[in-house]
Amino acid sequence: MKSQYILYGAPFSLYTAKIRAYLHYKKLPFEEVLSTVSVYRRIIVPNTGVRFVPVVQAPQGEYLQDTAHIIDTLELRHPDDSVLPESPRQKLVSRLFELLADEWLLLPAMHYRWNRPANFPFIYQQFGRVISPWIPKFLGAYLGKKIANKFRGFVPLLGISDGSIPAIEQWYEGDFLPQMDDHFSRHDFLLGGRPSLGDFCLMGPLGGHLLHDPAPRAMMLQRAPHLVAWGERMKCSTDYGTLLPDDEVPTSLNGVLARIFQELWPLLKDTVAATEAFYDGGGRSLPRRLGVHIFRMGGVSAERAILPFQQWKFQRVLDCYMGLSATERRRADDFLADVGGADAMTFPISRRVERKNNRLVFAVDDSRSA
Ligand SMILES: N[C@@H](CCC(=O)N[C@@H](CS)C(=O)NCC(=O)O)C(=O)O
């Protein structure tokens, strides 16, 4: 039996950056293996049934896919230095950041990668290495562009279009960067002196794209040096302090949290409605995309694909709240009211989804949801 984990992924992959930072923090020995075309064919697809990275192979041999599932599983196996806060507000904020970072910061992460030509030579070369790590640079850039175009194809599906780009830039440059920079000028991590779930999730869009690609990295170095320093701490620190006492959530996070309720919540509710309508219309096997819907950001309306998977991430936040005791809920409610999230957590979902064999299925009517 091997004694270490294997992380299959890539230096330019958003979700790989999240797990790399997590494994580093947990001090779990791991080897990182580049997800080359051959690794997909020989290892990833046969062992997970899907074509996503990262994939973690446990020392026991089992293959874990989906970063939320990977962290859930490893937290149970390695409970020391848990990344899951125990107090109600900090617990909920961790889940909110999981949702924000994994699902919503994808928009700026993808926009500033694929709509900034200054990134291209570098990014194409990196993608080229997945064909062969020894490929000459010029050939790698040429072939890498072809693979990169698959990922670039996700840009319009996510709702990144001429109509929405000014709103995405306004959110990221006008709100997110200055608010996070201010926060990290006061605190080492999201919730105090040690990283917690939300920090690792943020390392996805930030570590994997926005701090990694030349164009957004240059912007962040100039405009948000404290956020850059946080990114370095996430990669390099080995000594940590403690979470803030008394379940404190720093008010410097309020602006970022408030926008989740203003903009992401309506979209997620709409996603739930579409998933329910699909089920009620007789649909059982959930496709990756379920038509399109309109979302609003910064006063602009734009179209994007409905992604049922995001309902699963939404459920995780609602479940976290529903799992609190009555006293804990009261504490959480006070905080939620301050960030525009009063009543946001009691949204009913009649057709829950879950992951089975790395695929999203309806939690109801098991026999029919393949
Ligand atoms: N929910 C998954 C998402 C993983 C994911 O989208 N990974 C990207 C690379 S960073 C990928 O493999 N995309 C391929 C695709 O979307 O088809 C997770 O958290 O692991």
Side-chain angles (χ1 to χ4, degrees):
M1 191 170 84
K2 294 193 193 87
S3 62
Q4 62 173 10
Y5 284 92
I6 301 179
L7 171 62
Y8 295 99
F12 51 84
S13 146
L14 186 149
Y15 296 94
T16 303
K18 169 179 167 185
I19 295 301
R20 189 185 298 119
Y22 171 79
L23 292 170
H24 165 77
Y25 166 79
K26 295 290 282 193
K27 301 190 171 80
L28 294 172
F30 73 100
E31 176 196 355
E32 185 163 341
V33 173
L34 182 66
S35 49
T36 59
V37 172
S38 145
V39 165
Y40 268 93
R41 194 185 58 242
R42 289 182 296 109
I43 296 167
I44 295 178
V45 176
N47 289 296
T48 66
V50 289
R51 300 186 62 85
F52 287 106
V53 289
V55 167
V56 166
Q57 184 183 8
Q60 297 84 346
E62 156 201 24
Y63 289 85
L64 304 169
Q65 187 271 320
D66 193 278
T67 54
H69 173 63
I70 294 169
I71 293 183
D72 287 351
T73 308
L74 298 194
E75 280 300 289
L76 290 174
R77 290 184 193 171
H78 306 281
D80 287 352
D81 298 321
S82 171
V83 306
L84 305 172
E86 282 174 7
S87 56
R89 295 176 180 183
Q90 293 187 346
K91 207 189 263 189
L92 200 54
V93 165
S94 301
R95 289 287 167 217
L96 285 165
F97 268 90
E98 178 182 75
L99 188 61
L100 171 75
D102 287 2
E103 308 301 329
W104 202 225
L105 283 166
L106 256 183
L107 272 71
M110 294 292 274
H111 167 59
Y112 288 99
R113 167 164 293 177
W114 298 115
N115 294 326
R116 291 290 181 272
N119 296 326
F120 292 166
F122 171 72
I123 283 295
Y124 291 155
Q125 278 165 21
Q126 288 216 327
F127 270 89
R129 289 188 58 233
V130 309
I131 298 171
S132 161
W134 299 279
I135 202 163
K137 273 190 175 176
F138 75 94
L139 192 59
Y142 173 75
L143 295 172
K145 186 173 178 179
K146 291 184 185 298
I147 300 194
N149 280 340
K150 170 188 160 189
F151 288 87
R152 195 181 199 161
F154 292 130
V155 166
L157 296 174
L158 290 170
I160 305 165
S161 58
D162 288 347
S164 66
I165 284 172
I168 295 169
E169 292 184 352
Q170 176 55 39
W171 168 42
Y172 179 70
E173 295 177 37
D175 277 4
F176 183 81
L177 275 189
Q179 287 167 348
M180 293 312 283
D181 196 55
D182 172 56
H183 174 79
F184 289 120
S185 71
R186 300 156 195 268
H187 301 279
D188 279 354
F189 300 101
L190 278 182
L191 295 174
R194 67 186 308 123
S196 49
L197 178 69
D199 292 278
F200 301 105
C201 296
L202 277 183
M203 272 304 273
L206 297 180
H209 282 215
L210 296 157
L211 268 165
H212 172 271
D213 298 356
R217 179 175 174 80
M219 179 163 70
M220 210 188 293
L221 280 166
Q222 202 185 18
R223 300 197 200 172
H226 297 103
L227 186 52
V228 177
W230 162 86
E232 290 305 312
R233 283 193 291 281
M234 289 298 290
K235 280 200 268 189
C236 305
S237 292
T238 49
D239 262 344
Y240 306 95
T242 54
L243 294 184
L244 290 165
D246 303 323
D247 200 18
E248 181 186 342
V249 174
T251 51
S252 42
L253 297 178
N254 282 9
V256 171
L257 291 167
R259 277 195 83 147
I260 299 181
F261 293 111
Q262 278 161 21
E263 292 176 338
L264 187 49
W265 234 246
L267 174 135
L268 292 168
K269 288 181 174 181
D270 206 45
T271 303
V272 170
T275 307
E276 289 178 354
F278 175 74
Y279 186 92
D280 293 341
R284 292 296 179 268
S285 190
L286 273 163
R288 194 162 167 194
R289 295 187 280 276
L290 209 51
V292 291
H293 59 174
I294 302 292
F295 71 102
R296 286 185 67 77
M297 183 186 273
V300 165
S301 298
E303 198 177 83
R304 65 180 248 131
I306 301 172
L307 304 172
F309 178 79
Q310 296 192 330
Q311 177 177 323
W312 184 66
K313 297 302 266 288
F314 186 33
Q315 286 174 193
R316 290 167 66 84
V317 184
L318 304 181
D319 291 351
C320 172
Y321 178 84
M322 296 312 277
L324 301 176
S325 70
T327 323
E328 288 177 327
R329 269 194 212 177
R330 273 194 295 279
R331 286 181 62 82
D333 285 343
D334 290 344
F335 148 76
L336 285 167
D338 287 345
V339 292
D343 302 327
M345 296 295 163
T346 47
F347 182 71
I349 297 185
S350 64
R351 303 295 180 205
R352 284 176 64 91
V353 294
E354 62 187 19
R355 291 181 72 257
K356 263 201 186 141
N357 299 326
N358 300 325
R359 291 185 192 275
L360 192 73
V361 295
F362 281 107
V364 285
D365 198 1
D366 232 82
S367 56
R368 297 177 64 193
S369 51

